[in-house]
Amino acid sequence: MNRFEERDFFEKILNSNKKEVFILYGRRRIGKSFLLKEVSKNKNALYYTARKISPKEQLKIFSMKVGEFLNFGKINFENWEDAFRILFEFSKKENLILILDEFQYMVEKNQEMLSILQLLIDEFETSKIKLILCGSSISFMEGILSYNNPLYGRKTGNLMLNPIAFKDISLFIPNYDYHFLMIVYSIGSSKIEEKESNGKAKKITQR
């Protein structure tokens, strides 16, 4: 699929009248976040990007986002089950899109989160929630798909987003010639490789 086909694909998921649990993953800077923000724009969507912070801070910030989204004002949930449960309750009445970006950061110090989501997905059979779990840690996200993971069998779909193919560049900038398209594609590819290279070097240094 090219990016336009992927956008149409996600539009169908977000507009469905049933519960959806979708897993999206791929390399950093590949366009995952942009794609999700684009398809959820002007929809009843709560978009949350996780950070590498303490579990307490993560829950505090997520609580604020939920409070704003539901017009509850300032709210502090005591645990993740309460935070997610209120959204699942809301989704029984109308479609709700919940996008958890950089999902690996939410789970790395909260392993019970996967079991909590499993519990709620199973409990709320009539929910219309569209739960999108997105991450840039390919090994972690593929682990969610494995048999021994709590979410196994709950997903309605998954997609690994790949880099834009050269043949699709002209879809975005149709008025440029072949040589210019080659330059644009080369610059984009080199920036991704540089980003990943720097990330790997940083990891090695931290050991």
Side-chain angles (χ1 to χ4, degrees):
M1 289 191 289
N2 61 46
R3 285 296 188 266
F4 291 104
E5 292 170 332
E6 288 162 350
R7 183 185 63 190
D8 293 342
F9 175 72
F10 271 98
E11 285 280 3
K12 291 178 181 178
I13 292 172
L14 300 188
N15 290 329
S16 78
N17 199 36
K18 63 177 184 177
K19 179 171 57 183
E20 301 278 0
V21 180
F22 199 92
I23 298 169
L24 175 67
Y25 61 104
R27 298 190 310 183
R28 294 184 184 281
R29 311 298 297 173
I30 212 74
K32 302 183 301 298
S33 299
F34 179 83
L35 174 63
L36 292 175
K37 287 176 181 177
E38 184 68 21
V39 296
S40 63
K41 189 166 52 179
N42 301 322
K43 290 184 173 64
N44 196 30
L46 171 56
Y47 192 109
Y48 178 72
T49 302
R51 313 172 195 178
K52 283 186 72 70
I53 53 180
S54 70
K56 185 177 180 180
E57 280 297 303
Q58 194 91 257
L59 180 57
K60 179 181 177 182
I61 296 172
F62 185 76
S63 296
M64 291 172 55
K65 290 284 187 180
V66 173
E68 291 172 4
F69 178 75
L70 297 177
N71 294 315
F72 285 171
K74 188 175 181 180
I75 187 170
N76 285 305
F77 294 104
E78 293 186 2
N79 54 64
W80 284 102
E81 182 173 346
D82 289 345
F84 287 131
R85 181 173 289 277
I86 197 170
L87 293 171
F88 272 82
E89 286 284 356
F90 181 83
S91 72
K92 290 195 299 185
K93 297 175 290 185
E94 57 182 281
N95 285 338
L96 164 65
I97 300 167
L98 174 59
I99 300 173
L100 303 178
D101 202 353
E102 296 296 358
F103 184 59
Q104 68 273 3
Y105 295 147
M106 298 182 75
V107 179
E108 63 181 2
K109 295 180 181 178
N110 292 284
Q111 293 295 321
E112 73 279 5
M113 186 176 293
L114 294 172
S115 295
I116 291 170
L117 288 173
Q118 173 202 342
L119 171 72
L120 295 173
I121 290 168
D122 292 348
E123 179 181 338
F124 288 84
E125 296 181 2
T126 60
S127 166
K128 296 178 182 179
I129 198 167
K130 313 294 180 288
L131 176 61
I132 312 293
L133 307 178
C134 177
S136 53
S137 172
I138 294 177
S139 59
F140 172 82
M141 298 304 290
E142 288 184 337
I144 294 178
L145 304 173
S146 65
Y147 178 77
N148 59 351
N149 191 281
L151 293 183
Y152 181 81
R154 273 79 183 178
K155 70 175 177 64
T156 54
N158 64 276
L159 175 68
M160 179 175 178
L161 202 67
N162 292 309
I164 297 175
F166 175 71
K167 63 182 178 64
D168 294 329
I169 291 290
S170 60
L171 296 173
F172 298 91
I173 42 178
N175 298 324
Y176 292 100
D177 62 25
Y178 178 84
H179 296 291
F180 186 83
L181 292 176
M182 281 291 291
I183 293 172
V184 171
Y185 188 73
S186 299
I187 292 173
S189 298
S190 64
K191 284 189 176 297
I192 291 172
E193 289 172 3
E194 180 185 355
K195 182 84 174 179
E196 291 189 341
S197 176
N198 289 340
K200 289 177 182 176
K202 187 176 181 181
K203 287 181 180 178
I204 292 171
T205 302
Q206 287 176 337
R207 289 180 185 176

